[in-house]
């Protein structure tokens, strides 16, 4: 299984707090930790831990965070030879997590803003050699669109994790084979406002009007809706006894889904596998320590 990931890396600065502060409030009693983050890097690590051969395109700065990132990728066996080092600072995300595991995140993109479609062309050999290309949207949109197009033109299947969600150019939809929004991301993709009423099925219908490929709408505790060639299936959630931190769940889901699709699993089995990977992650604090290995996912699926 060869997977090429085009996405972000960033340092995650996490503060666990009893509750989220309101506007203008200073709240004490937090517990601080720092670690690796960025959707692209997290998804690459998740896929590598689950058995894929992974190559990564992103950008970092010539700073301590960039150095630490390259050490992480070396430790995880990820091909990072395509990663750019730019003159800007490595992306940093500041994360607040409350006692219920809910989070709020603010990002300073830094070096990621220096990525261009030309970098995708320089990464074309890894794209062409891949069984699946994974793209997320913490990088400049033209870079993400260029990656989808480059994979499509080379006959390589694509998976778009549309996070953080933005409206896509119309032509980009035809280069996406699998799209994996959550409900709020689906609203942005389809132009709905946050107050517009829509069920999961209605959101899938709205995406289907733009997208001929596979839709996997993740619905948290309600599982996922999977729509492929007009056939719609609800995949039940995988649960854990206690939610500790939801921060990396979507990235674990995406990395695991990519692995399962690349190895040829049936679609609903692949989504179930991905749901178990995401569920494992929410039971452990921080992202990299929580990303699962095969035995972790197998244990949840046996339950």
């Amino acid at each position: 299984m060869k997977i090429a990931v085009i996405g972000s890396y960033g340092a995650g600065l996490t503060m666990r707090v009893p509750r989220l502060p309101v506007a203008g409030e200073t709240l004490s009693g937090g517990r601080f930790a720092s670690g690796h983050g960025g959707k692209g890097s997290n998804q690459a690590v998740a896929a590598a831990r689950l058995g894929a051969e992974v190559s990564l395109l992103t950008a970092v700065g010539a700073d301590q965070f960039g150095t630490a990132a390259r050490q992480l990728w070396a430790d995880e066996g990820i091909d990072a030879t395509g990663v750019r080092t730019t003159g800007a600072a490595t992306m940093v995300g500041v994360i607040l997590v409350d006692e219920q595991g809910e989070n709020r995140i603010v990002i300073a993109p830094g070096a990621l803003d220096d990525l261009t479609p030309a970098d995708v062309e320089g990464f074309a050999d890894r794209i062409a050699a891949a069984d699946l290309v994974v793209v997320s949207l913490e990088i400049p949109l033209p870079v993400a669109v260029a990656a989808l197009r480059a994979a499509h033109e080379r006959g390589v299947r694509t998976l778009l994790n549309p996070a953080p969600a933005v409206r896509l150019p119309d032509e980009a939809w035809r280069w996406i084979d699998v799209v994996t929004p959550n409900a709020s991301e689906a609203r942005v993709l389809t132009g709905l406002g946050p107050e517009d009423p829509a069920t999961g099925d209605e959101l899938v219908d709205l995406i289907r009007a733009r997208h001929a490929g596979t839709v996997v709408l993740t619905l948290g505790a309600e599982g996922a809706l999977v729509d492929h060639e007009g056939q719609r299936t609800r995949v039940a959630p995988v649960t854990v006894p206690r939610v500790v931190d939801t921060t990396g769940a979507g990235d674990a889901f995406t990395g695991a889904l990519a692995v399962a699709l690349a190895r040829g699993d049936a679609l609903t089995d692949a989504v179930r596998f991905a749901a178990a990977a995401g569920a494992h992650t929410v039971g452990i604090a921080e992202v990299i320590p929580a990303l699962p290995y095969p035995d972790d996912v197998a244990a949840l699926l046996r339950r």
Side-chain angles (χ1 to χ4, degrees):
M1 298 172 293
K2 292 185 177 181
I3 295 174
V5 178
I6 296 90
S8 58
Y9 172 83
L13 308 180
T14 302
M15 185 77 74
R16 302 189 65 83
V17 292
R19 59 176 176 79
L20 298 172
V22 300
E25 178 183 17
T26 298
L27 187 66
S28 63
R31 302 189 308 278
F32 175 75
S34 62
H36 302 286
K39 291 186 176 297
S41 179
N42 291 345
Q43 292 162 9
V45 172
R49 287 187 180 181
L50 293 171
E53 183 179 331
V54 180
S55 55
L56 175 65
L57 172 61
T58 189
V60 296
D63 51 31
Q64 61 181 344
F65 295 132
T67 299
R70 292 187 181 278
Q71 185 61 57
L72 168 70
W73 300 324
D75 293 343
E76 299 288 345
I78 293 167
D79 174 12
T81 55
V83 174
R84 280 192 60 196
T85 298
T86 82
T90 300
M91 183 183 86
V92 172
V94 177
I95 307 160
L96 295 180
V97 184
D98 69 16
E99 289 183 343
Q100 285 71 49
E102 292 299 321
N103 64 69
R104 301 288 187 274
I105 303 173
V106 180
I107 294 169
L112 295 180
D113 283 342
D114 292 335
L115 278 174
T116 71
D119 295 312
V120 174
E121 286 304 310
F123 196 65
D125 57 340
R126 278 86 157 184
I127 291 173
D131 299 304
L132 186 79
V133 169
V134 178
V135 180
S136 53
L137 299 178
E138 282 180 333
I139 56 178
L141 183 60
V143 179
V145 171
L148 294 169
R149 180 173 183 170
H152 178 79
E153 290 176 344
R154 289 163 176 80
V156 180
R157 189 159 46 158
T158 60
L159 187 160
L160 174 68
N161 175 226
V166 296
R167 293 295 297 275
L168 298 175
D170 290 342
E171 68 271 16
W173 285 104
R174 67 176 182 267
W175 303 324
I176 302 167
D177 293 300
V178 182
V179 63
T180 61
N182 62 26
S184 64
E185 291 158 358
R187 288 174 175 276
V188 175
L189 291 174
T190 58
L192 287 182
E195 304 303 323
D196 292 332
T199 66
D201 281 297
E202 289 168 340
L203 289 171
V204 173
D205 289 340
L206 289 168
I207 293 173
R208 175 60 66 215
R210 295 165 167 78
H211 176 54
T214 299
V215 181
V216 180
L217 178 69
T218 59
L219 297 169
E222 298 178 20
L225 275 178
V226 181
D227 190 287
H228 179 69
E229 296 181 347
Q231 299 296 314
R232 193 164 300 179
T233 306
R234 184 175 291 273
V235 176
V238 177
T239 59
V240 292
R242 180 169 175 257
V243 174
V244 176
D245 186 351
T246 62
T247 306
D251 296 334
F253 183 98
T254 300
L257 181 62
V259 168
L261 293 175
R263 73 186 176 201
D265 288 13
L267 181 57
T268 54
D269 292 339
V271 174
R272 181 75 172 168
F273 179 81
H280 173 82
T281 303
V282 305
I284 299 172
E286 301 177 46
V287 177
I288 297 300
L291 294 175
Y293 293 91
D295 287 348
D296 300 318
V297 178
L300 278 176
L301 290 174
R302 284 195 299 270
R303 289 179 54 207

